[in-house]
């Protein structure tokens, strides 16, 4: 189980329990296991995480299909590539808060490309969380076998998302069209 860490948040693997709870109710609390966190800060074990109604944003539409693809007994969706972004700063009462969702949108292509997507709750926008999380995710994905480039796509003129990718070392590679999202700008981050 990969748990990734930024200065202000953890990226916890997306689990069956998270998806089921969110499909059943708009807000909920879950005990999530931090295990032995990679930054060695001594934190570990279970922590209480609050999942507000804004979580996970657009990915909610994909949750029923993700749940249907899980094998019996499979708890984590994609332990190394699909994450829930959780703040380190506890709220009153000691709970952490789920503020976003990020990860890969498929598998590694024959060319070694792996596409990511991400989204944060509106209350977490413009605070640098996305830049921290995408940076850590990209570094992690480049350690996986066969990944040559991490790629992404943003809606045209989505300046906030473009800035996240620019700050994390992505370069513009062109444009494409999607039936779901229309015209998109494409991006790539080469393995160094």
């Amino acid at each position: 189980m990969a748990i990734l860490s930024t200065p202000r948040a953890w990226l916890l693997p997306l689990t069956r329990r998270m998806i089921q709870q969110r499909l059943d109710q708009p807000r909920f609390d879950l005990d999530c296991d931090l295990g032995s966190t990679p930054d060695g800060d001594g934190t570990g074990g279970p922590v209480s995480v609050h999942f507000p109604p804004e979580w996970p944003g657009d990915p909610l539409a994909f949750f029923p299909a993700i749940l249907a693809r899980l094998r019996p007994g499979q708890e984590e969706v994609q332990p190394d590539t699909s994450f829930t972004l959780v703040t380190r700063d506890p709220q009153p009462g000691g709970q952490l808060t789920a503020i976003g969702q990020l990860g890969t949108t498929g598998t590694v292509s024959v060319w070694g490309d792996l596409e990511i997507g991400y989204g944060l709750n509106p209350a977490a926008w413009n605070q640098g969380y996305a830049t921290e999380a995408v940076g850590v995710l990209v570094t992690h994905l480049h350690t996986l076998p066969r990944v040559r480039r991490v790629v992404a796509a943003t809606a045209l003129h989505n300046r906030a998302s473009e800035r996240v990718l620019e700050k994390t070392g992505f370069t513009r590679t062109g444009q494409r069209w999607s039936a779901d999202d229309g015209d998109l700008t494409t991006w790539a981050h080469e393995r160094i």
Side-chain angles (χ1 to χ4, degrees), residues 176-189:
R176 75 173 195 224
W177 184 84
S178 158
D180 293 328
D181 301 312
D183 290 323
L184 301 169
T185 302
T186 56
W187 302 80
H189 189 286

Side-chain angles (χ1 to χ4, degrees), residues 44-64:
V47 294
S48 180
V49 177
H50 175 68
F51 292 78
E54 299 80 26
W55 181 86
D58 292 341
L60 180 60
F62 302 105
F63 275 11

Side-chain angles (χ1 to χ4, degrees), residues 9-12 83-87 97-102 120 129-130 133:
W10 283 294
L11 283 71
L12 304 180
F83 298 93
T84 297
L85 185 62
V86 175
T87 62
T97 303
I99 59 168
Q101 188 69 34
L102 66 159
L120 271 62
Y129 284 109

Side-chain angles (χ1 to χ4, degrees), residues 57-190:
D58 292 341
L60 180 60
F62 302 105
F63 275 11
I66 292 169
L67 194 59
R69 285 194 307 264
L70 293 178
R71 295 180 309 278
Q74 181 183 355
E75 177 59 22
E76 295 173 357
V77 174
Q78 295 173 313
D80 288 327
T81 64
S82 189
F83 298 93
T84 297
L85 185 62
V86 175
T87 62
R88 287 178 179 244
D89 187 25
Q91 301 301 309
Q95 283 186 315
L96 305 180
T97 303
I99 59 168
Q101 188 69 34
L102 66 159
T104 60
T105 62
T107 59
V108 181
S109 75
V110 297
W111 303 280
D113 289 352
L114 185 57
E115 185 169 358
I116 63 166
Y118 54 91
L120 271 62
N121 304 353
W125 289 354
N126 300 314
Q127 296 179 43
Y129 284 109
T131 301
E132 286 180 24
V134 169
V136 167
L137 177 64
V138 168
T139 298
H140 170 70
L141 294 176
H142 277 307
T143 69
L144 300 179
R146 300 182 325 122
V147 176
R148 184 180 64 81
R149 291 188 326 165
V150 177
V151 296
T154 58
L156 287 186
H157 312 297
N158 180 346
R159 191 65 191 131
S161 206
E162 290 176 347
R163 293 273 301 138
V164 166
L165 296 176
E166 290 167 351
K167 288 178 184 178
T168 54
F170 280 78
T171 56
R172 259 177 238 262
T173 58
Q175 290 187 344
R176 75 173 195 224
W177 184 84
S178 158
D180 293 328
D181 301 312
D183 290 323
L184 301 169
T185 302
T186 56
W187 302 80
H189 189 286
E190 301 282 340

Side-chain angles (χ1 to χ4, degrees), residues 25-41:
Q25 53 195 327
R27 83 176 64 230
F28 59 96
D29 300 327
L30 274 182
D31 284 341
C32 297
D33 189 6
L34 288 179
S36 177
T37 57
D39 55 10
D41 67 358

